[in-house]
Short mmCIF file of all heavy atoms in Angstrom, two decimals:
data_model
loop_
_atom_site.label_atom_id
_atom_site.label_comp_id
_atom_site.label_asym_id
_atom_site.label_seq_id
_atom_site.Cartn_x
_atom_site.Cartn_y
_atom_site.Cartn_z
N GLY G 441 -107.52 46.83 37.55
CA GLY G 441 -107.82 47.74 38.67
C GLY G 441 -109.24 48.30 38.53
O GLY G 441 -109.89 48.41 39.55
N ARG G 442 -109.68 48.55 37.34
CA ARG G 442 -111.05 49.06 37.18
C ARG G 442 -112.05 47.87 37.55
O ARG G 442 -113.09 48.24 38.16
CB ARG G 442 -111.33 49.39 35.75
CG ARG G 442 -110.43 50.49 35.16
CD ARG G 442 -110.82 50.76 33.72
NE ARG G 442 -109.81 51.56 32.98
CZ ARG G 442 -109.72 52.88 32.98
NH1 ARG G 442 -110.59 53.64 33.77
NH2 ARG G 442 -108.81 53.52 32.32
N ALA G 443 -111.70 46.64 37.16
CA ALA G 443 -112.60 45.58 37.51
C ALA G 443 -112.80 45.29 39.02
O ALA G 443 -113.73 44.68 39.47
CB ALA G 443 -112.06 44.35 36.83
N ALA G 444 -111.82 45.80 39.77
CA ALA G 444 -111.95 45.64 41.17
C ALA G 444 -113.16 46.33 41.79
O ALA G 444 -113.67 45.93 42.87
CB ALA G 444 -110.65 46.24 41.88
N ASP G 445 -113.68 47.30 41.03
CA ASP G 445 -114.95 48.12 41.56
C ASP G 445 -116.23 47.31 41.14
O ASP G 445 -117.31 47.84 41.59
CB ASP G 445 -114.93 49.42 40.94
CG ASP G 445 -113.74 50.33 41.43
OD1 ASP G 445 -113.28 50.07 42.53
OD2 ASP G 445 -113.33 51.20 40.69
N LEU G 446 -116.07 46.20 40.44
CA LEU G 446 -117.29 45.51 40.02
C LEU G 446 -117.81 44.52 41.12
O LEU G 446 -116.96 44.00 41.83
CB LEU G 446 -117.06 44.73 38.70
CG LEU G 446 -116.73 45.47 37.46
CD1 LEU G 446 -116.29 44.56 36.34
CD2 LEU G 446 -117.96 46.27 37.00
N ALA G 447 -119.04 44.43 41.25
CA ALA G 447 -119.58 43.51 42.18
C ALA G 447 -119.61 42.08 41.69
O ALA G 447 -119.43 41.12 42.49
CB ALA G 447 -121.10 43.87 42.54
N ALA G 448 -119.54 41.95 40.39
CA ALA G 448 -119.42 40.59 39.70
C ALA G 448 -118.80 40.71 38.31
O ALA G 448 -119.13 41.55 37.54
CB ALA G 448 -120.83 39.88 39.56
N PHE G 449 -117.77 39.86 38.06
CA PHE G 449 -117.05 39.93 36.87
C PHE G 449 -116.84 38.43 36.44
O PHE G 449 -116.12 37.68 37.06
CB PHE G 449 -115.63 40.61 37.06
CG PHE G 449 -114.90 40.76 35.77
CD1 PHE G 449 -115.54 40.77 34.51
CD2 PHE G 449 -113.53 40.97 35.84
CE1 PHE G 449 -114.86 40.92 33.42
CE2 PHE G 449 -112.75 41.07 34.59
CZ PHE G 449 -113.48 41.05 33.44
N ILE G 450 -117.40 38.05 35.40
CA ILE G 450 -117.43 36.71 34.90
C ILE G 450 -116.86 36.78 33.43
O ILE G 450 -117.27 37.53 32.55
CB ILE G 450 -118.80 36.02 34.73
CG1 ILE G 450 -119.43 36.09 36.15
CG2 ILE G 450 -118.71 34.62 34.20
CD1 ILE G 450 -120.92 35.73 36.16
N ILE G 451 -115.83 35.96 33.15
CA ILE G 451 -115.10 35.99 31.84
C ILE G 451 -114.73 34.68 31.43
O ILE G 451 -114.35 33.79 32.15
CB ILE G 451 -113.92 36.93 32.03
CG1 ILE G 451 -113.25 37.17 30.69
CG2 ILE G 451 -112.89 36.36 33.01
CD1 ILE G 451 -112.20 38.29 30.72
N SER G 452 -114.80 34.46 30.10
CA SER G 452 -114.25 33.17 29.58
C SER G 452 -112.99 33.58 28.75
O SER G 452 -113.09 34.53 27.92
CB SER G 452 -115.26 32.53 28.59
OG SER G 452 -115.64 33.40 27.52
N ALA G 453 -111.84 32.96 29.20
CA ALA G 453 -110.56 33.49 28.69
C ALA G 453 -109.70 32.36 28.22
O ALA G 453 -109.71 31.19 28.81
CB ALA G 453 -109.89 34.32 29.73
N THR G 454 -108.82 32.54 27.21
CA THR G 454 -107.96 31.50 26.80
C THR G 454 -106.63 31.58 27.50
O THR G 454 -105.99 30.59 27.71
CB THR G 454 -107.66 31.65 25.33
OG1 THR G 454 -107.16 32.99 25.01
CG2 THR G 454 -108.94 31.42 24.52
N ASN G 455 -106.12 32.81 27.84
CA ASN G 455 -104.86 32.93 28.53
C ASN G 455 -104.92 33.69 29.84
O ASN G 455 -105.71 34.58 30.03
CB ASN G 455 -103.90 33.69 27.48
CG ASN G 455 -103.59 32.93 26.27
OD1 ASN G 455 -104.34 32.96 25.33
ND2 ASN G 455 -102.52 32.25 26.25
N GLU G 456 -103.95 33.41 30.66
CA GLU G 456 -103.94 33.95 31.99
C GLU G 456 -103.35 35.41 31.86
O GLU G 456 -102.39 35.62 31.06
CB GLU G 456 -103.05 33.22 32.97
CG GLU G 456 -103.46 31.77 33.18
CD GLU G 456 -102.46 31.03 33.96
OE1 GLU G 456 -101.29 31.46 34.07
OE2 GLU G 456 -102.87 29.93 34.59
N ASN G 457 -103.77 36.33 32.53
CA ASN G 457 -103.30 37.66 32.63
C ASN G 457 -103.78 38.38 33.88
O ASN G 457 -104.50 37.72 34.69
CB ASN G 457 -103.47 38.53 31.40
CG ASN G 457 -104.94 38.63 31.10
OD1 ASN G 457 -105.79 38.54 31.89
ND2 ASN G 457 -105.30 38.87 29.75
N ALA G 458 -103.52 39.69 33.99
CA ALA G 458 -103.98 40.46 35.22
C ALA G 458 -105.45 40.45 35.28
O ALA G 458 -106.04 40.52 36.34
CB ALA G 458 -103.38 41.81 35.18
N ILE G 459 -106.15 40.40 34.10
CA ILE G 459 -107.62 40.48 34.10
C ILE G 459 -108.25 39.19 34.65
O ILE G 459 -109.18 39.33 35.41
CB ILE G 459 -108.09 40.70 32.62
CG1 ILE G 459 -107.51 42.05 32.21
CG2 ILE G 459 -109.54 40.75 32.58
CD1 ILE G 459 -107.74 42.38 30.73
N THR G 460 -107.63 38.12 34.34
CA THR G 460 -108.25 36.86 34.92
C THR G 460 -108.09 36.80 36.43
O THR G 460 -108.89 36.17 37.07
CB THR G 460 -107.58 35.56 34.25
OG1 THR G 460 -106.23 35.64 34.38
CG2 THR G 460 -107.90 35.61 32.68
N LEU G 461 -107.01 37.41 36.89
CA LEU G 461 -106.90 37.46 38.39
C LEU G 461 -107.86 38.32 39.05
O LEU G 461 -108.21 38.10 40.32
CB LEU G 461 -105.42 37.87 38.80
CG LEU G 461 -104.31 37.06 38.44
CD1 LEU G 461 -102.95 37.64 38.65
CD2 LEU G 461 -104.43 35.71 39.23
N ALA G 462 -108.46 39.29 38.31
CA ALA G 462 -109.41 40.22 38.92
C ALA G 462 -110.86 39.72 38.73
O ALA G 462 -111.64 40.45 39.15
CB ALA G 462 -109.32 41.62 38.20
N ALA G 463 -111.08 38.57 38.08
CA ALA G 463 -112.42 38.13 37.78
C ALA G 463 -112.90 37.18 38.92
O ALA G 463 -112.14 36.58 39.63
CB ALA G 463 -112.46 37.36 36.46
N ASP G 464 -114.20 37.24 39.10
CA ASP G 464 -114.78 36.29 40.20
C ASP G 464 -114.87 34.89 39.59
O ASP G 464 -114.67 33.96 40.36
CB ASP G 464 -116.23 36.76 40.45
CG ASP G 464 -116.27 38.08 41.15
OD1 ASP G 464 -115.82 38.21 42.31
OD2 ASP G 464 -116.68 39.14 40.54
N VAL G 465 -115.20 34.77 38.34
CA VAL G 465 -115.28 33.36 37.68
C VAL G 465 -114.56 33.58 36.34
O VAL G 465 -114.82 34.45 35.50
CB VAL G 465 -116.60 32.96 37.52
CG1 VAL G 465 -116.63 31.57 36.80
CG2 VAL G 465 -117.38 32.82 38.85
N VAL G 466 -113.64 32.61 36.08
CA VAL G 466 -112.89 32.48 34.79
C VAL G 466 -113.20 31.17 34.24
O VAL G 466 -112.81 30.12 34.81
CB VAL G 466 -111.44 32.70 34.99
CG1 VAL G 466 -110.66 32.66 33.61
CG2 VAL G 466 -111.07 34.02 35.65
N PHE G 467 -113.84 31.13 33.12
CA PHE G 467 -114.08 29.90 32.33
C PHE G 467 -112.88 29.59 31.37
O PHE G 467 -112.43 30.46 30.72
CB PHE G 467 -115.30 29.98 31.46
CG PHE G 467 -116.57 30.18 32.26
CD1 PHE G 467 -117.52 31.10 31.93
CD2 PHE G 467 -116.87 29.36 33.30
CE1 PHE G 467 -118.74 31.21 32.63
CE2 PHE G 467 -118.13 29.44 34.10
CZ PHE G 467 -118.99 30.47 33.73
N ALA G 468 -112.33 28.48 31.58
CA ALA G 468 -111.13 28.02 30.63
C ALA G 468 -111.68 27.91 29.31
O ALA G 468 -112.45 26.91 28.96
CB ALA G 468 -110.54 26.77 31.25
N ALA G 469 -111.24 28.79 28.35
CA ALA G 469 -111.71 28.75 26.97
C ALA G 469 -110.62 28.23 26.07
O ALA G 469 -109.40 28.48 26.24
CB ALA G 469 -112.12 30.13 26.58
N SER G 470 -111.04 27.56 25.04
CA SER G 470 -110.05 27.02 24.03
C SER G 470 -109.83 27.92 22.95
O SER G 470 -110.66 28.93 22.62
CB SER G 470 -110.63 25.64 23.47
OG SER G 470 -111.95 25.79 22.89
N THR G 471 -108.71 27.80 22.20
CA THR G 471 -108.34 28.75 21.09
C THR G 471 -109.04 28.22 19.79
O THR G 471 -109.63 27.13 19.70
CB THR G 471 -106.89 28.80 20.99
OG1 THR G 471 -106.42 27.50 20.54
CG2 THR G 471 -106.14 29.14 22.27
N HIS G 472 -108.83 29.06 18.78
CA HIS G 472 -109.38 28.67 17.45
C HIS G 472 -108.75 27.50 16.83
O HIS G 472 -109.30 26.77 16.02
CB HIS G 472 -109.30 29.84 16.46
CG HIS G 472 -107.98 30.14 15.98
ND1 HIS G 472 -106.92 30.58 16.79
CD2 HIS G 472 -107.41 30.02 14.72
CE1 HIS G 472 -105.81 30.69 16.04
NE2 HIS G 472 -106.12 30.35 14.81
N ILE G 473 -107.45 27.11 17.31
CA ILE G 473 -106.74 25.96 16.80
C ILE G 473 -107.41 24.66 17.33
O ILE G 473 -107.31 23.63 16.76
CB ILE G 473 -105.27 26.06 17.23
CG1 ILE G 473 -104.61 27.29 16.55
CG2 ILE G 473 -104.55 24.75 16.88
CD1 ILE G 473 -104.60 27.09 15.00
N GLU G 474 -108.15 24.83 18.47
CA GLU G 474 -108.67 23.69 19.11
C GLU G 474 -110.19 23.54 18.81
O GLU G 474 -110.90 22.62 19.48
CB GLU G 474 -108.50 23.80 20.69
CG GLU G 474 -107.14 23.84 21.07
CD GLU G 474 -106.82 24.54 22.40
OE1 GLU G 474 -107.78 25.07 23.08
OE2 GLU G 474 -105.72 24.53 22.86
N ASP G 475 -110.70 24.26 17.90
CA ASP G 475 -112.20 24.13 17.54
C ASP G 475 -112.34 24.43 16.16
O ASP G 475 -111.43 25.03 15.47
CB ASP G 475 -112.98 25.01 18.41
CG ASP G 475 -114.45 24.73 18.33
OD1 ASP G 475 -114.86 23.47 18.05
OD2 ASP G 475 -115.31 25.60 18.47
N GLU G 476 -113.52 24.11 15.56
CA GLU G 476 -113.84 24.58 14.24
C GLU G 476 -114.69 25.87 14.24
O GLU G 476 -115.36 26.03 15.29
CB GLU G 476 -114.57 23.42 13.50
CG GLU G 476 -113.78 22.18 13.36
CD GLU G 476 -114.32 21.31 12.19
OE1 GLU G 476 -114.42 21.75 11.05
OE2 GLU G 476 -114.72 20.20 12.54
N GLY G 477 -114.60 26.61 13.21
CA GLY G 477 -115.39 27.85 13.18
C GLY G 477 -115.00 28.71 12.05
O GLY G 477 -114.50 28.26 10.97
N SER G 478 -115.27 29.96 12.16
CA SER G 478 -115.12 30.95 11.08
C SER G 478 -114.79 32.29 11.61
O SER G 478 -115.21 32.69 12.66
CB SER G 478 -116.30 30.92 10.15
OG SER G 478 -117.47 31.47 10.89
N PHE G 479 -114.09 33.03 10.75
CA PHE G 479 -113.81 34.54 11.05
C PHE G 479 -114.35 35.25 9.79
O PHE G 479 -114.20 34.72 8.65
CB PHE G 479 -112.34 34.74 11.25
CG PHE G 479 -111.75 34.23 12.57
CD1 PHE G 479 -110.70 33.39 12.49
CD2 PHE G 479 -112.28 34.58 13.76
CE1 PHE G 479 -110.17 32.81 13.66
CE2 PHE G 479 -111.74 34.03 14.93
CZ PHE G 479 -110.67 33.19 14.83
N THR G 480 -114.68 36.54 10.03
CA THR G 480 -114.88 37.43 8.95
C THR G 480 -113.95 38.58 8.89
O THR G 480 -113.79 39.31 9.85
CB THR G 480 -116.34 38.10 9.05
OG1 THR G 480 -117.33 37.02 9.18
CG2 THR G 480 -116.67 38.90 7.87
N GLN G 481 -113.07 38.52 7.91
CA GLN G 481 -111.88 39.46 7.91
C GLN G 481 -112.40 40.90 7.44
O GLN G 481 -113.48 41.12 7.17
CB GLN G 481 -110.76 38.89 7.04
CG GLN G 481 -111.11 38.49 5.58
CD GLN G 481 -110.84 39.68 4.65
OE1 GLN G 481 -111.77 40.17 4.18
NE2 GLN G 481 -109.57 39.99 4.29
N GLU G 482 -111.40 41.83 7.39
CA GLU G 482 -111.75 43.26 7.29
C GLU G 482 -112.46 43.64 6.02
O GLU G 482 -113.27 44.53 6.00
CB GLU G 482 -110.45 44.03 7.33
CG GLU G 482 -109.21 43.45 6.58
CD GLU G 482 -108.87 44.34 5.46
OE1 GLU G 482 -109.18 45.57 5.51
OE2 GLU G 482 -108.19 43.90 4.53
N ALA G 483 -112.33 42.84 4.95
CA ALA G 483 -113.00 43.15 3.69
C ALA G 483 -114.35 42.49 3.64
O ALA G 483 -115.06 42.53 2.60
CB ALA G 483 -112.11 42.69 2.43
N GLY G 484 -114.75 41.76 4.70
CA GLY G 484 -116.07 41.14 4.67
C GLY G 484 -116.08 39.68 4.25
O GLY G 484 -117.14 39.10 4.03
N ILE G 485 -114.84 39.06 3.99
CA ILE G 485 -114.83 37.71 3.53
C ILE G 485 -114.80 36.73 4.73
O ILE G 485 -113.95 36.81 5.62
CB ILE G 485 -113.59 37.51 2.69
CG1 ILE G 485 -113.48 38.40 1.50
CG2 ILE G 485 -113.42 36.02 2.22
CD1 ILE G 485 -112.16 38.36 0.68
N THR G 486 -115.82 35.85 4.76
CA THR G 486 -115.88 34.90 5.87
C THR G 486 -115.16 33.68 5.48
O THR G 486 -115.25 33.17 4.39
CB THR G 486 -117.33 34.52 6.17
OG1 THR G 486 -118.02 35.70 6.57
CG2 THR G 486 -117.41 33.44 7.33
N GLN G 487 -114.30 33.11 6.44
CA GLN G 487 -113.40 32.05 6.12
C GLN G 487 -113.49 30.99 7.24
O GLN G 487 -113.50 31.30 8.43
CB GLN G 487 -111.96 32.52 6.08
CG GLN G 487 -111.76 33.47 4.95
CD GLN G 487 -110.25 33.95 4.90
OE1 GLN G 487 -109.54 33.42 4.08
NE2 GLN G 487 -109.76 34.79 5.74
N ARG G 488 -113.48 29.71 6.85
CA ARG G 488 -113.46 28.59 7.83
C ARG G 488 -112.09 28.28 8.34
O ARG G 488 -111.09 28.42 7.60
CB ARG G 488 -113.99 27.34 7.09
CG ARG G 488 -115.53 27.26 7.08
CD ARG G 488 -116.11 26.93 8.45
NE ARG G 488 -115.47 25.78 9.06
CZ ARG G 488 -115.74 24.53 8.82
NH1 ARG G 488 -116.64 24.22 7.96
NH2 ARG G 488 -115.08 23.58 9.47
N PHE G 489 -111.98 27.76 9.54
CA PHE G 489 -110.81 27.17 10.00
C PHE G 489 -111.15 25.79 10.65
O PHE G 489 -112.24 25.61 11.02
CB PHE G 489 -110.05 28.10 10.99
CG PHE G 489 -110.91 28.51 12.26
CD1 PHE G 489 -111.08 27.66 13.32
CD2 PHE G 489 -111.59 29.69 12.17
CE1 PHE G 489 -111.84 28.04 14.37
CE2 PHE G 489 -112.29 30.10 13.23
CZ PHE G 489 -112.44 29.33 14.41
N ARG G 490 -110.16 24.82 10.70
CA ARG G 490 -110.41 23.56 11.14
C ARG G 490 -109.66 23.24 12.46
O ARG G 490 -108.70 23.86 12.71
CB ARG G 490 -110.12 22.49 10.03
CG ARG G 490 -110.93 22.63 8.78
CD ARG G 490 -110.69 21.39 7.93
NE ARG G 490 -111.20 20.13 8.62
CZ ARG G 490 -112.38 19.75 8.53
NH1 ARG G 490 -113.36 20.37 7.96
NH2 ARG G 490 -112.74 18.62 9.19
N ARG G 491 -110.14 22.29 13.20
CA ARG G 491 -109.59 21.94 14.49
C ARG G 491 -108.28 21.17 14.24
O ARG G 491 -108.33 20.22 13.43
CB ARG G 491 -110.60 21.09 15.26
CG ARG G 491 -110.02 20.60 16.62
CD ARG G 491 -111.00 19.72 17.28
NE ARG G 491 -112.10 20.39 17.76
CZ ARG G 491 -113.17 19.82 18.38
NH1 ARG G 491 -113.11 18.57 18.57
NH2 ARG G 491 -114.22 20.58 18.76
N ALA G 492 -107.25 21.46 15.01
CA ALA G 492 -105.98 20.74 14.90
C ALA G 492 -106.00 19.61 15.96
O ALA G 492 -105.74 18.45 15.59
CB ALA G 492 -104.83 21.65 15.21
N PHE G 493 -106.32 19.93 17.21
CA PHE G 493 -106.36 18.96 18.30
C PHE G 493 -107.47 19.26 19.29
O PHE G 493 -107.95 20.46 19.26
CB PHE G 493 -105.01 18.84 18.93
CG PHE G 493 -104.36 20.14 19.23
CD1 PHE G 493 -104.72 20.93 20.38
CD2 PHE G 493 -103.37 20.64 18.41
CE1 PHE G 493 -104.09 22.03 20.65
CE2 PHE G 493 -102.75 21.82 18.66
CZ PHE G 493 -103.11 22.59 19.85
N PRO G 494 -107.83 18.35 20.16
CA PRO G 494 -108.92 18.68 21.11
C PRO G 494 -108.40 19.77 22.14
O PRO G 494 -107.22 20.04 22.26
CB PRO G 494 -109.03 17.38 21.86
CG PRO G 494 -108.51 16.29 21.04
CD PRO G 494 -107.41 16.98 20.28
N PRO G 495 -109.40 20.44 22.69
CA PRO G 495 -109.03 21.47 23.67
C PRO G 495 -108.17 21.06 24.77
O PRO G 495 -108.25 19.88 25.30
CB PRO G 495 -110.42 21.96 24.24
CG PRO G 495 -111.39 21.65 23.16
CD PRO G 495 -110.87 20.36 22.51
N LYS G 496 -107.20 21.92 25.18
CA LYS G 496 -106.22 21.61 26.25
C LYS G 496 -106.96 21.61 27.57
O LYS G 496 -107.89 22.49 27.89
CB LYS G 496 -105.04 22.57 26.24
CG LYS G 496 -104.17 22.39 25.10
CD LYS G 496 -102.88 23.25 25.23
CE LYS G 496 -101.81 23.04 24.22
NZ LYS G 496 -100.64 23.84 24.43
N GLY G 497 -106.48 20.74 28.52
CA GLY G 497 -106.96 20.73 29.89
C GLY G 497 -108.55 20.60 29.93
O GLY G 497 -109.10 19.74 29.23
N ASP G 498 -109.12 21.45 30.75
CA ASP G 498 -110.53 21.43 30.90
C ASP G 498 -111.22 22.60 30.06
O ASP G 498 -112.42 22.85 30.23
CB ASP G 498 -110.95 21.74 32.34
CG ASP G 498 -110.70 20.49 33.20
OD1 ASP G 498 -110.55 19.35 32.71
OD2 ASP G 498 -110.68 20.60 34.48
N SER G 499 -110.49 23.13 29.15
CA SER G 499 -110.97 24.31 28.41
C SER G 499 -111.99 23.79 27.38
O SER G 499 -112.01 22.60 26.97
CB SER G 499 -109.81 24.98 27.71
OG SER G 499 -109.20 24.17 26.64
N GLN G 500 -112.88 24.72 26.99
CA GLN G 500 -113.82 24.42 25.89
C GLN G 500 -114.14 25.75 25.29
O GLN G 500 -113.90 26.80 25.80
CB GLN G 500 -115.09 23.77 26.46
CG GLN G 500 -115.82 24.56 27.50
CD GLN G 500 -117.03 23.73 28.20
OE1 GLN G 500 -116.98 22.55 28.22
NE2 GLN G 500 -118.01 24.44 28.64
N PRO G 501 -114.70 25.75 24.15
CA PRO G 501 -114.93 26.99 23.34
C PRO G 501 -115.77 28.00 24.07
O PRO G 501 -116.68 27.61 24.85
CB PRO G 501 -115.55 26.55 21.99
CG PRO G 501 -115.23 25.08 21.85
CD PRO G 501 -115.10 24.53 23.35
N HIS G 502 -115.72 29.27 23.74
CA HIS G 502 -116.48 30.28 24.33
C HIS G 502 -118.00 29.96 24.14
O HIS G 502 -118.81 30.18 25.01
CB HIS G 502 -116.24 31.62 23.68
CG HIS G 502 -114.87 32.14 23.92
ND1 HIS G 502 -114.39 32.54 25.17
CD2 HIS G 502 -113.78 32.40 23.06
CE1 HIS G 502 -113.13 33.05 25.09
NE2 HIS G 502 -112.82 32.92 23.80
N TRP G 503 -118.32 29.49 22.86
CA TRP G 503 -119.78 29.25 22.63
C TRP G 503 -120.30 28.13 23.55
O TRP G 503 -121.48 28.20 23.85
CB TRP G 503 -119.94 28.80 21.17
CG TRP G 503 -119.34 27.57 20.67
CD1 TRP G 503 -118.17 27.32 20.06
CD2 TRP G 503 -119.86 26.18 20.91
NE1 TRP G 503 -117.83 26.06 19.83
CE2 TRP G 503 -118.88 25.32 20.28
CE3 TRP G 503 -121.00 25.70 21.56
CZ2 TRP G 503 -119.16 23.90 20.38
CZ3 TRP G 503 -121.19 24.37 21.54
CH2 TRP G 503 -120.33 23.44 20.93
N LYS G 504 -119.45 27.18 23.91
CA LYS G 504 -120.00 26.07 24.72
C LYS G 504 -120.29 26.65 26.10
O LYS G 504 -121.33 26.23 26.81
CB LYS G 504 -119.02 24.99 24.76
CG LYS G 504 -119.59 23.71 25.33
CD LYS G 504 -118.75 22.43 24.93
CE LYS G 504 -119.42 21.23 25.39
NZ LYS G 504 -118.58 20.00 25.07
N TRP G 505 -119.50 27.54 26.60
CA TRP G 505 -119.74 28.12 28.00
C TRP G 505 -121.01 28.91 27.89
O TRP G 505 -121.85 28.80 28.96
CB TRP G 505 -118.56 28.99 28.46
CG TRP G 505 -117.31 28.26 28.84
CD1 TRP G 505 -116.12 28.25 28.21
CD2 TRP G 505 -117.21 27.42 29.95
NE1 TRP G 505 -115.24 27.49 28.95
CE2 TRP G 505 -115.86 26.91 30.02
CE3 TRP G 505 -118.11 26.95 31.01
CZ2 TRP G 505 -115.40 26.04 30.99
CZ3 TRP G 505 -117.65 26.11 32.02
CH2 TRP G 505 -116.30 25.64 32.00
N ALA G 506 -121.20 29.61 26.85
CA ALA G 506 -122.46 30.40 26.77
C ALA G 506 -123.69 29.45 26.71
O ALA G 506 -124.78 29.72 27.36
CB ALA G 506 -122.37 31.25 25.56
#
Side-chain angles (χ1 to χ4, degrees):
R442 301 182 195 276
D445 296 330
L446 294 172
F449 184 25
I450 302 165
I451 188 170
S452 58
T454 58
N455 294 84
E456 299 172 344
N457 56 25
I459 298 171
T460 58
L461 290 174
D464 294 290
V465 178
V466 179
F467 295 132
S470 54
T471 66
H472 74 293
I473 295 294
E474 298 157 355
D475 192 30
E476 297 199 58
S478 62
F479 291 123
T480 302
Q481 54 94 253
E482 44 113 21
I485 302 173
T486 300
Q487 304 182 97
R488 276 286 311 276
F489 55 84
R490 294 192 65 86
R491 177 186 293 178
F493 44 79
K496 289 188 173 185
D498 287 343
S499 67
Q500 59 186 27
H502 296 293
W503 66 259
K504 195 165 186 178
W505 284 115

